[in-house]
Amino acid sequence: MQIKTVGVVGAGQMGNGIAHVFALSGYDVLLTDVSQDALEKALALIDRNIERQVAKGRTSPEDKAAAMDRIRTTTRLADLGPADLIIEAATERETVKQAIFEDLLAHIQPHTILTSNTSSISITRLASRTDRPEKFMGFHFMNPVPVMQLVELIRGIATDEPTYKTLLGVVDSLGKTAASAEDFPAFIVNRILMPMINEAVYTLYEGVGSVKSIDESLKLGANHPMGPLELADFIGLDTCLAIMNVLHDGLADTKYRPCPLLTKYVEAGWLGRKTGRGFYDYRGETPVPTR
Ligand code: CAA
């Protein structure tokens, strides 16, 4: 199936990155969010991030202008009607995602493929609430989307082969690499990454190391590009906690128990970079550890 127009629901850090890479790869993009302000911020950020790629010689000013021209924004889900493929990238809460898919059904075409960028929620369950579980898939991008090479493809129990093949082709057209994962809690990347981040928070909670020593240990001792606490702030502590809860509930194993300190940071609204404070305080010139 030929995909020309892509609808992206949610203009947050994942949604804007997804819109960016699709527009730069020649797709028409309809980007929607409930907040007009979020849409304006997303467009400005996409402009800045493509400019970084122009500055590095990875794309040309002409291609940048063409990509920006291909992005249309709207606050109405109903405007996503022309999309051949829809990627939901809203908050990591199942009720929010379900409500979006339910609202979309009245407006989309029979051939439209529905996908979710969920990092952990059951694709089979999300699909079962729609009229097209065979045309529904998990389509999981990594942050920052323009830089990270991997896209996880997750088939629900009912997903058909043409839908899977279409998305494999789409990933290829973006110049990225697909990894196929079965539909079990948190799939592959987060099944492995989140328990590591949670363990880093336990290491902090139990006083084994400070924020600085934990991050430095993994950067210098395991060659990770970011320390686990810095990475948690980058992903968002609310998202990390939501994923740990999905693993804990879905696999019923105490090894996935979210660290109480992670819960406390989320309760404080210290969600990481996006709120200016998490394991680091980002409000000054350079990030300062908060413990
Ligand atoms: N758009 C375009 N380009 C970007 C960008 C963006 N949003 N962010 C960074 N870049 C580019 C920079 O321009 C730079 O380009 P050059 O290599 O040509 O110089 C390059 O990416 C590296 O960026 P920086 O120099 O600014 O910074 P850095 O070297 O510290 O790298 C990083 C930043 C790429 C984020 C790196 O620290 C990294 O790889 N961190 C780990 C990220 C990670 O693990 N992501 C997965 C999170 S898990 C997830 O997403 C799944 C989930 O569901 C939670």
Side-chain angles (χ1 to χ4, degrees):
M1 189 193 141
Q2 191 68 19
I3 306 288
K4 282 191 63 199
T5 303
V6 178
V8 180
V9 183
Q13 65 185 4
M14 297 309 289
N16 85 65
I18 292 169
H20 168 150
V21 297
F22 273 90
L24 209 49
S25 300
Y27 293 91
D28 291 326
V29 175
L30 298 163
L31 177 62
T32 179
D33 197 287
V34 282
S35 150
Q36 181 61 35
D37 186 47
L39 288 170
E40 279 158 26
K41 286 199 175 118
L43 273 186
L45 192 57
I46 294 170
D47 192 285
R48 272 209 308 281
N49 283 334
I50 303 186
E51 192 54 43
R52 287 160 86 155
Q53 295 170 295
V54 173
K56 297 276 161 55
R58 302 221 166 91
T59 190
S60 66
E62 295 74 26
D63 286 347
K64 178 191 164 194
M68 293 308 297
D69 256 6
R70 285 189 204 104
I71 305 176
R72 300 270 170 280
T73 61
T74 172
T75 52
R76 288 161 30 97
L77 273 184
D79 293 339
L80 263 49
D84 305 305
L85 164 67
I86 292 180
I87 305 164
E88 171 278 316
T91 309
E92 191 66 358
R93 278 212 303 278
E94 192 162 343
T95 47
V96 173
K97 293 183 186 293
Q98 272 171 358
I100 289 168
F101 286 119
E102 274 162 24
D103 284 357
L104 274 171
L105 293 182
H107 310 292
I108 57 179
Q109 307 171 71
H111 73 268
T112 304
I113 294 177
L114 292 177
T115 68
S116 173
N117 181 56
T118 177
S119 39
S120 58
I121 297 169
S122 164
I123 298 305
T124 300
R125 207 163 56 231
L126 285 174
S128 73
R129 305 285 291 257
T130 73
D131 60 355
R132 61 193 71 200
E134 68 290 348
K135 287 195 174 61
F136 194 106
M137 273 192 67
F139 201 16
H140 184 215
F141 289 81
M142 307 296 137
N143 186 20
V145 182
V147 179
M148 304 300 282
Q149 185 61 32
L150 187 80
V151 184
E152 272 183 304
L153 291 183
I154 306 105
R155 278 174 282 192
I157 200 164
T159 309
D160 65 19
E161 199 60 14
T163 302
Y164 174 62
K165 290 263 167 62
T166 301
L167 287 201
L168 271 180
V170 170
V171 173
D172 199 43
S173 74
L174 299 175
K176 295 195 182 287
T177 304
S180 297
E182 291 299 321
D183 184 22
F184 290 103
F187 321 127
I188 296 174
V189 171
N190 284 321
R191 170 80 177 256
I192 298 168
L193 182 65
M194 278 309 151
M196 184 204 68
I197 287 177
N198 195 46
E199 199 59 30
V201 186
Y202 269 114
T203 310
L204 178 68
Y205 176 63
E206 291 170 6
V208 181
S210 64
V211 168
K212 183 165 180 283
S213 62
I214 292 167
D215 275 352
E216 262 181 15
S217 296
L218 270 291
K219 276 199 281 196
L220 304 180
N223 259 2
H224 289 194
M226 283 176 167
L229 301 172
E230 188 187 2
L231 181 58
D233 277 358
F234 182 66
I235 293 167
L237 303 193
D238 51 342
T239 301
C240 294
L241 181 60
I243 297 170
M244 284 313 297
N245 279 326
V246 167
L247 282 168
H248 195 224
D249 296 346
L251 298 168
D253 190 324
T254 52
K255 74 179 176 181
Y256 300 115
R257 190 169 65 105
C259 179
L261 186 61
L262 178 62
T263 306
K264 197 193 285 289
Y265 270 79
V266 173
E267 284 170 351
W270 292 14
L271 306 182
R273 281 202 200 177
K274 63 185 170 189
T275 57
R277 221 176 338 182
F279 292 111
Y280 294 84
D281 188 332
Y282 299 92
R283 293 170 302 169
E285 281 275 292
T286 48
V288 180
T290 51
R291 286 179 96 81

